[in-house]
Amino acid sequence: MAAHPISSHSHNAADLAAVLTNTNTTLRNASLLSALALVQQLPAMFVEAEDQRPVLEMDGDPLAFSHLIPIVDMSLLKSSDPAVRASPVADIAAACEKFGFFQVVNHGVDESLIRRCETEAHTMFELPLDVKERVHRPPGTSFGYGANTWVNQTVMHWAESFHMQLHPKSNIREFSGKLFAESDPTKFSSTVEEYMGQIEKLARQLLELLTEGLGLEPTTFNHYVENERMMSMRFNLYPPCPQPELAIGLRAHTDPHLLTILHQDEVAGLQVHIDEKWITVKPRPDCFVVNVGDLFQVLSNTRYKSVLHRAAVNGTSKRLSLACFLNPPLSATVEAPPELITAERPQVYRPFTWGEYLSNAYKFHPAMGGERHERFFLERS
Ligand code: OGA
Ligand code: NI
């Protein structure tokens, strides 16, 4: 196939509009999948705006700065020596204040369970499109299989995604029953439920550590993750891309949630925006990447940062990430505690509910101008 120059963003946006205004998600997913699987050359609807392309990171060593994101050894937390235990707590707090991101090792989640969950995710993505379409995500909704697109988006992500929820009401068995009706539906659902269950345990432990790192009683925020809490997971699959320097796997964004616990396989792709640079997080399959979401930035009265990140794609290897999100109930009021509101650090946000935040979250995409949390500044209420 002859190469032709692709640089016009307006041409690209027009193509994308044709795909996205078609509310038939089967057609949308079919066009996504045929592009991801078959093309030798990047279709225009996947060509990113020049200022969003991960070009710089392709020069030099993309992992040169990855050491900036600390790896915290959670086994130290078991120490009976308070000084040993204090060091990971301080490291986590420092990382959340500076970067909003860190990795954890010796986290207590079985390695074999991670591998099994990754295998189930690959098995799911390898199903034929008509089978995956049994669980398609209807436009404007959160859960199911399909192209992951945000409101106002002007390019398609070079990725397939599948988003499920464990709490408050699981949709995993229903999805699994539809996807694996001809084989064994319980294998997928039991593996995913077990994985999310262990990640939730880890996330609760991290919630307490982050809270302790703010100088608060560790259990201060535990009421946010009790009965009606929300816990979901997205599988992201980034196939090899014919022109990776022109495409993006997942656009620059912050996570609206409380906490994100992400596992990436051995292929690099996750990049975090630190000091005006995009830093690639070196994949460590024995680690989880943890990041502060917008809600924790609010609860910490901006001591902790919810930081822009994105996923770059590459020309040779497919990449899988498992992203778990922990959240309060929709009705919970999100508000920094009085201990964190001082003369030097006055209250930044007005109180709001997670439901209110979520209903706006995907309308105001950070990379499209205007950070979504700014809509909840106290002065503006
Ligand atoms: C996400 C995310 C990054 C990745 O799913 O919110 O940021 O590496 N994913 O897949
Ligand atoms: Ni994210």
Side-chain angles (χ1 to χ4, degrees), residues 291-341:
N291 68 283
V292 169
D294 293 353
L295 286 195
F296 218 119
Q297 173 168 307
V298 172
L299 288 182
S300 72
N301 200 26
T302 71
R303 278 232 342 241
Y304 289 166
K305 306 292 185 294
S306 177
V307 171
L308 280 177
H309 55 283
R310 68 184 185 188
V313 291
N314 74 80
T316 50
S317 311
K318 70 176 166 183
R319 171 171 182 266
L320 176 71
S321 72
L322 314 175
C324 287
F325 309 105
L326 184 65
N327 282 303
L330 285 171
S331 61
T333 299
V334 179
E335 189 174 16
E339 297 92 315
L340 299 183
I341 297 167

Side-chain angles (χ1 to χ4, degrees), residues 22-221:
N22 192 331
T23 51
N24 182 331
T25 43
T26 300
L27 282 180
R28 186 195 296 186
N29 287 341
S31 68
L32 171 77
L33 268 232
S34 56
L36 296 184
L38 301 174
V39 299
Q40 308 292 311
Q41 186 175 306
L42 195 66
M45 68 182 177
F46 293 96
V47 177
E48 255 294 5
E50 269 179 65
D51 63 348
Q52 300 287 327
R53 292 178 197 164
V55 179
L56 291 173
E57 292 67 40
M58 299 293 165
D59 298 336
D61 175 6
L63 295 175
F65 294 96
S66 60
H67 61 276
L68 284 176
I69 308 225
I71 297 178
V72 175
D73 180 355
M74 293 186 74
S75 68
L76 301 178
L77 295 162
K78 296 196 188 108
S79 173
S80 53
D81 178 347
V84 174
R85 190 190 172 277
S87 107
V89 177
D91 290 350
I92 287 173
C96 293
E97 288 181 9
K98 278 193 235 149
F99 318 122
F101 270 80
F102 57 98
Q103 298 203 71
V104 287
V105 69
N106 296 323
H107 39 63
V109 180
D110 297 342
E111 296 263 333
S112 64
L113 176 59
I114 304 172
R115 299 291 95 76
R116 281 193 287 124
C117 193
E118 287 184 323
T119 302
E120 291 303 322
H122 281 297
T123 303
M124 183 269 154
F125 283 121
E126 281 158 18
L127 290 169
L129 177 63
D130 61 327
V131 176
K132 289 188 277 196
E133 279 301 298
R134 295 174 190 164
V135 297
H136 76 272
R137 181 173 64 213
T141 64
S142 304
F143 299 110
Y145 165 79
N148 194 10
T149 46
W150 281 303
V151 175
N152 295 339
Q153 193 161 333
T154 52
V155 271
M156 292 282 267
H157 290 126
W158 188 261
E160 293 179 70
S161 85
F162 182 41
H163 198 173
M164 294 156 279
Q165 175 168 272
L166 182 66
H167 296 298
K169 191 175 178 308
S170 177
N171 51 22
I172 298 167
R173 285 179 203 195
E174 183 197 325
F175 283 154
S176 190
K178 289 180 179 165
L179 288 167
F180 299 101
E182 293 83 4
S183 51
D184 172 13
T186 57
K187 189 157 159 280
F188 179 90
S189 59
S190 61
T191 306
V192 170
E193 283 175 2
E194 189 184 346
Y195 179 81
M196 290 181 77
Q198 286 212 17
I199 297 294
E200 188 179 29
K201 245 174 82 187
L202 172 64
R204 286 163 176 279
Q205 191 186 356
L206 288 163
L207 175 69
E208 292 194 1
L209 292 168
L210 265 73
T211 308
E212 185 178 348
L214 290 167
L216 300 171
E217 187 56 41
T219 57
T220 304
F221 298 130

Side-chain angles (χ1 to χ4, degrees), residues 1-8 11-12 15 39-47 53 243 245-246:
M1 199 185 286
H4 69 85
I6 318 174
S7 58
S8 159
H11 166 58
N12 175 24
D15 269 19
V39 299
Q40 308 292 311
Q41 186 175 306
L42 195 66
M45 68 182 177
F46 293 96
V47 177
R53 292 178 197 164
Q243 291 177 289
E245 66 287 357
L246 299 182

